[in-house]
Amino acid sequence: MPTIDTRSHTYTLRADPQLIDWHRYLDLSQRAGLLAGNGQEHQARTVLSRAEELWGGEPLAGLPGDWARTTRATMADQRFATTLQRIELDLRIGRHHELIPELTALREDRPTDERLAGHLMTALHAAGRQADALAVYPAVVRLLRTRLGTDPGEELTRLHRLMLNGEPLPGTPGRAELVRAADSPAEVAASAPGAPGRHRMIGRRDDLRRVLPGAAAARGGVVTVSAILGMPGVGKTTLALHAADLMREHFPEGYVHLNLRAHVGNQPPLTPEATGALLLRRLGVPATTIPLDADEVFALCAETLSTRRAVLVLDDAANASQIRPLLPPAPAALVIVTSRQRLAELPGSRPVFLDVLPVDDAVALFTDLVGPERSTDRDRVVEIVNRCGLLPLAIELAASRLRARPSWTLDHLARRLSRRGRLAEIRSGSDSIARAFEVSYQYLPPSQRSAFRLLGLYPGPDFGVHAAAALLGRTVDETDQVLEALLNCHLLIEITPERYQLHDLLRDFAVALGVEDDLRESSVDRLLRFALSAADQADHLLYPRRSRAELLTDHQFHDLEAILADMAMDSAESARAWLEAEIATLIALAAHAHRVGRAETGAWLAHVLAGHLDAEAYWSEAQDMHRAAAALWQSQTNDLQEAWALSDLGATLANASHYDPAVEALERSLALARREGDPDATANALGLLGRLRWNQSRLHEALALQEEVLAIRIQQDDQLNAARCLANIGILHRSVGNSEAAQAAYDSALPCARDFNDRVLELRILNNLGELHSSSGRNAEARSTFERILEIGDGLMPPVELSVVRVNLAGTLRIPAELDRALSLHRAALTTFREVGSVRYEADGLNSLGQTMSSAGRHEEALDQHATALQLARSIGAAREEAAALRGLGRCEAALGNTTAARAQLTAAIHLAEQVDIADEAALARSALANLEPKSSNNLHS
């Protein structure tokens, strides 16, 4: 932090030298000299350009006194020396045409400086203007003799002699690289910078194709302006210069790279008229013929670009108005514009929006910069480039820092980048990624700066306009405008229509800028309350009459009514769409609430989301959310809310096949609910425990629990939840062999589901009926039912339940005639079960797949499927799936002629099924054992 000390009536500024422009200027000049000395002219030229950008007028302007005057003179001399250094580099890399106007202007201030004269002679000669070059020497001789009474030095005299003799000049390109000058535009082609490929680029092939003109334009047709757009540091200039290099042979009448200075920092952007005048000079138009009137400059630019087949790179444009007056309707020149703005108002342009690099290209860039010998650990390089947000500038800075530290390893750099405050680590010398972001930020108006800083607080991966409005404390319309403004200057990314995110490094930058404590707390509180209220509304729409606690009065949010109303969330479909878009953010917000002292909001958010988290199989995330909620309510001795949280946790654990901890959670939930005398919480815990006991094949216990739930629901006159309970009871009756009772339960539940328009419950009951048809030998009826569910269930039923229907349908197909379809259904279902981590469903799916393969005569493959299913079932204590796996193994062994092994497996299946009273499975195993004959392996599904 800079400080000012007082001492003896004087003031002393104490600050890091890199915060002082003058010290940074000297440092950059010195670095450029070292680079040039190592033969890295282009890198040195880039560094000197950054040094030049630090100048913003006369130093110490307005400060009187001898010290200020002397210091100004010293600084001016240093600047002149650095300018000469840069001019010498430009000569060495062939920027002769660009130097001629600058050297001519410098000679007006220093007419007797022999170095300037020699550089001007060299530039003119290399540009093919030998007569003009030779004319400079006698003019210098006259001035030196008149003013100083001396003759030119040996160096300038030798240069003149070489020109007279037509010999090569020292430090300039060979004759083959020179472009002769003449009156026609074709002969005024600028030769800076030299050959195509000078601006080396890694990756970006698709982006490059979009930038380059088509074949017709390259052969002489009208050229479309290309606008390369993107966030700071994404590589716009590199792509533009690379494209320009590639196209120079097709556009041989000039080459101009012009920095329009939108984000230089200490200099204002070039005005359109200044841009036009400078552009004309760079194209070789004599300064004396360039008009003073702005409109005439624009007209001359448009006329020149409509006929001149030149390459123009207009770098870092502030807006379309900076460029638009200069361009003709049908340019012959190739014009490539780069900007951090969207430039929507640039007519006829072809926008090319740059994203961050793909991982492979990012790794290649880092490796190219540090060298293959220091980047042998690809995994660590991948980690580093990801820490750099795959942003080219950040990668270059990190690589430069590693290259400058020979003792550093990839591990060390990765550790530094993994710390908090990684922005401070992404730097090299005086350059940093934060500085690149800072310039864009400083150009924002105050309201947009405030919004940008607040958006850095958003804990989720992305956000919509309504969540942003809640965070910012603005109306939806105001928020939409500010988001569009930030999007236009590429400080925000629109990943889908009206859904936004901050790049990781920009988020870090926004956080580093900081927000006042009171504003941060009120903004986060408003965001959390919005998320809870909207999630509550979505839950009621998508899962009507779900057993859950209702939000307390103090969680109703009148200050957010306008935002919530604007969401127009008024149907199950709109609720599902909102939840699908927001679920990752809502999960992050629940965890964030606990971290920022809003634990109750986080606990309520977990509860209102419990239905959707279970339905969409967010089981891992839900476990953490519900555990945190249960711990909070327990710490507050809020037994009823703890009961609800434990029910949510138990349901999630059971879905993930973690049965023992699920039992523990649900039994405690049931005890708390009963102690509180809450019938709804009690019925909910009983129902979940009943489902869990069914998963564990404790069927009679499960049936007793479900019948207790049914009694409570009937007493509450809760018809819909009673129907849900009946659907579960029907499954249990079928499992214990009571098909008639199962049919009766389904027949009672189905009309109620339809009366309440609960399509998900209706489809679940239909699936259960299909299973009943299948187990009763009514295969065609079962198949028709499953086909119908899949036809209408996509988008309604949870993915796991749809996959269960796929497995059921596969079991009704004719094998081997429909083997391919059956295998496809099985594989799709197993993929879902594995993705969500449902071990029980995976075991069931493998058993069904094994049965299909066995029916197709592929017994050895079927054996493998059943063996895997057996391991999975035993790992979670799923007796039904274990018995089915044993039965499948027995049938396969029998088909393979291994009668003894078959009998052992089938006997074990019967014993297990009878032990836990799984009547239907026991009957199937007994039938297989009774048919233990060689031909038994030829059974086919009808």
Side-chain angles (χ1 to χ4, degrees), residues 211-224 243-244 246-253 308-311 331-335 350:
V211 172
L212 297 177
R219 290 193 300 266
V222 173
V223 184
T224 301
L246 292 176
M247 297 308 297
R248 285 184 61 190
E249 62 179 292
H250 300 288
F251 295 84
E253 299 177 4
R308 180 78 63 88
R309 292 191 59 74
V311 180
L334 172 61
V335 180
R350 177 176 53 244

Side-chain angles (χ1 to χ4, degrees), residues 661-774:
V663 169
E664 182 181 350
L666 291 172
E667 286 183 341
R668 174 166 171 78
S669 172
L670 179 58
L672 291 170
R674 281 180 163 155
R675 189 165 71 196
E676 288 294 307
D678 188 292
D680 201 30
T682 300
N684 185 60
L686 283 167
L688 292 170
L689 192 55
R691 283 167 49 188
L692 176 54
R693 292 310 189 194
W694 179 78
N695 289 341
Q696 295 177 305
S697 301
R698 295 165 62 169
L699 303 181
H700 290 287
E701 185 179 347
L703 186 56
L705 289 166
Q706 293 293 350
E707 287 174 342
E708 187 176 353
V709 175
L710 181 61
I712 294 173
R713 295 309 189 190
I714 291 173
Q715 186 176 12
Q716 290 178 309
D717 195 26
D718 187 344
Q719 297 179 42
L720 182 59
N721 277 314
R724 289 168 177 160
C725 185
L726 282 167
N728 294 330
I729 288 173
I731 295 173
L732 291 165
H733 279 309
R734 181 177 64 80
S735 297
V736 298
N738 192 344
S739 298
E740 291 182 1
Q743 183 73 51
Y746 296 148
D747 289 344
S748 297
L750 187 58
C752 184
R754 287 170 173 163
D755 288 344
F756 281 92
N757 196 31
D758 190 331
R759 300 300 306 281
V760 174
L761 178 59
E762 178 185 354
L763 294 174
R764 285 173 180 161
I765 296 170
L766 288 174
N767 177 67
N768 297 343
L769 281 167
E771 290 178 338
L772 184 60
H773 297 326
S774 181

Side-chain angles (χ1 to χ4, degrees), residues 99 106 128 175 193 199 282 285 290 294 326 337 445 495 519 598 653 707 710 721 735 784 790 833:
L99 284 174
L106 286 171
R175 299 291 294 177
H199 299 94
R282 296 280 179 88
V285 176
I290 297 175
L326 315 176
V337 182
I495 55 174
L519 179 58
R598 300 288 194 277
L653 289 168
E707 287 174 342
L710 181 61
N721 277 314
S735 297
S784 174
L790 288 179
F833 298 150

Side-chain angles (χ1 to χ4, degrees), residues 187-233:
E187 294 175 319
V188 190
S191 55
R198 171 167 279 106
H199 299 94
R200 193 160 172 272
M201 187 180 65
I202 292 175
R204 299 283 191 207
R205 291 184 180 87
D206 291 339
D207 296 317
L208 182 62
R209 279 194 290 270
R210 289 193 290 271
V211 172
L212 297 177
R219 290 193 300 266
V222 173
V223 184
T224 301
V225 176
S226 293
I228 304 175
L229 313 171
M231 67 178 288

Side-chain angles (χ1 to χ4, degrees), residues 551-568:
L551 288 179
L552 303 178
T553 304
D554 60 355
H555 283 93
Q556 306 306 316
F557 315 114
H558 303 295
D559 57 326
L560 297 168
E561 287 178 353
I563 298 175
L564 293 165
D566 190 79
M567 293 173 65

Side-chain angles (χ1 to χ4, degrees), residues 87 256 379 467 508 519 600 604 632 800 813:
I87 288 171
V256 174
D379 290 343
D508 287 355
L519 179 58
E600 282 198 20
W604 273 108
L632 171 73
V800 171
L813 300 183

